Amino acid sequence: LAHIGGGEVTAGAADEFFRHSITKMASIHFPSCAAYAARIIRMGEEPRRVFNVGGLGDENIRTMRLLDPAALAERFHFDFERPYLLITYHPVTLGGDPAAEVGALLAALDRFPDLGLIFTKANADAGGEVINRLLDDYVARRENAVAYTSMGAQGYLSAMKYCAAVVGNSSSGVVEAPSFQKPTVNIGDRQKGRLRCRSILDCGTGTEEITRTLRVALSPAFALGCRNSRSPYNGGDTSGRIVSLLAAFLDSDLAHRPKEFWD
């Protein structure tokens, strides 16, 4: 078992339990940055089984052919030339009321009527259906808003490239958005524990706090500061390194003997 993305912490999501369980079952590890590699070793994994390779999402941004605004508009029937927010809100699986939290977010967004709003819908976690119904009702009543079940990797990353800010509690706002040097308004605790760049603003789930944080994120001064942000997930040829390291591992003694606990 080879594990990509181990060592990360997401205190507000049940992924936290599964991720660390998989780490203990895996024979080789491909964390996305040095801090997560160090955590895996502290969990008792042998250092020679742990390789900091960077993030696959960051590599996608650097290698994928992204769409321009005209091509995006043709595919998604939305005006990508106007300023817009890219918004994703998933259930917080370790507590929280998804309906109340999304209601507060939508109330905050109503205070920015000049912005376009692109929602990508919630995942399959418990509470996701509630969120998606609220989003469908919201966009049905507003000309400046659209919602998609999925934009696909190319469409989503292209939309991120041109947005004014990324909003919500998706890992993409913490992991991918810094590679575009885009502001992120990260709401609540779902991503608590992940590494942060200066382009990320954390806030609570209340309407007033979200509104204040959005105003900071959209200010020219903050946007200028984001241009100096650097993603910690840039590992170069991440997928190529994973392939090479797997091939070498399969030819080594490590692939043919039980793991040892590293004290």
Side-chain angles (χ1 to χ4, degrees):
L1 180 63
H3 190 196
I4 295 171
E8 304 186 17
V9 171
T10 51
D15 301 22
E16 175 81 357
F17 310 135
F18 302 123
R19 183 184 303 111
H20 300 320
S21 298
I22 293 168
T23 291
K24 296 311 300 179
M25 292 187 285
S27 296
I28 185 171
H29 308 274
F30 300 115
S32 58
C33 55
Y36 299 149
R39 181 176 286 130
I40 290 171
I41 293 169
R42 290 199 302 273
M43 290 175 68
E45 300 299 293
E46 298 172 88
R48 60 178 180 158
R49 294 177 181 269
V50 182
F51 302 93
N52 171 23
V53 295
L56 287 169
D58 181 86
E59 183 186 31
N60 273 341
I61 290 169
R62 290 182 282 104
T63 59
M64 185 179 291
R65 185 183 69 82
L66 299 179
L67 304 174
D68 61 27
L72 279 168
E74 183 177 355
R75 180 179 296 186
F76 295 106
H77 310 292
F78 185 81
D79 182 5
F80 285 86
E81 299 286 355
R82 70 183 294 183
Y84 64 90
L85 303 176
L86 184 61
I87 309 152
T88 306
Y89 201 88
H90 295 302
V92 180
T93 49
L94 293 181
D97 180 342
E101 291 170 8
V102 171
L105 168 60
L106 297 178
L109 294 173
D110 274 340
R111 299 177 179 180
F112 300 87
D114 295 333
L115 292 174
L117 306 174
I118 300 177
F119 295 92
T120 56
K121 292 187 179 180
N123 59 22
D125 288 341
E129 290 184 359
V130 173
I131 291 174
N132 292 339
R133 283 197 299 270
L134 291 170
L135 296 183
D136 285 337
D137 290 343
Y138 184 83
V139 303
R141 294 179 278 109
R142 287 162 178 80
E143 294 183 355
N144 67 325
V146 292
Y148 304 103
T149 300
S150 172
M151 299 179 75
Q154 183 189 45
Y156 182 75
L157 292 176
S158 299
M160 186 179 288
K161 180 178 180 179
Y162 300 108
C163 73
V166 177
V167 181
N169 63 2
S170 168
S171 62
S172 62
V174 177
V175 177
E176 276 86 21
S179 296
F180 286 115
Q181 300 177 322
K182 292 291 182 179
T184 294
V185 174
N186 179 63
I187 302 169
D189 290 337
R190 193 171 191 276
Q191 302 302 325
K192 185 177 181 180
R194 287 194 193 273
L195 292 180
R196 296 290 196 270
C197 288
R198 61 166 52 180
S199 60
I200 298 165
L201 294 169
D202 294 308
C203 70
T205 57
T207 296
E208 297 302 326
E209 191 170 351
I210 295 170
T211 301
R212 287 195 302 270
T213 309
L214 266 170
R215 286 180 178 145
V216 173
L218 295 170
S219 67
F222 190 79
L224 183 63
C226 289
R227 296 177 188 173
N228 296 319
S229 64
R230 294 292 180 269
S231 171
Y233 299 98
N234 185 344
D237 180 20
T238 295
S239 55
R241 292 180 65 198
I242 289 173
V243 171
S244 297
L245 289 164
L246 276 174
F249 175 79
L250 293 173
D251 284 335
S252 73
D253 66 307
L254 290 177
H256 306 287
R257 64 175 181 78
K259 291 200 302 181
E260 296 179 4
F261 197 94
W262 179 265
D263 285 317

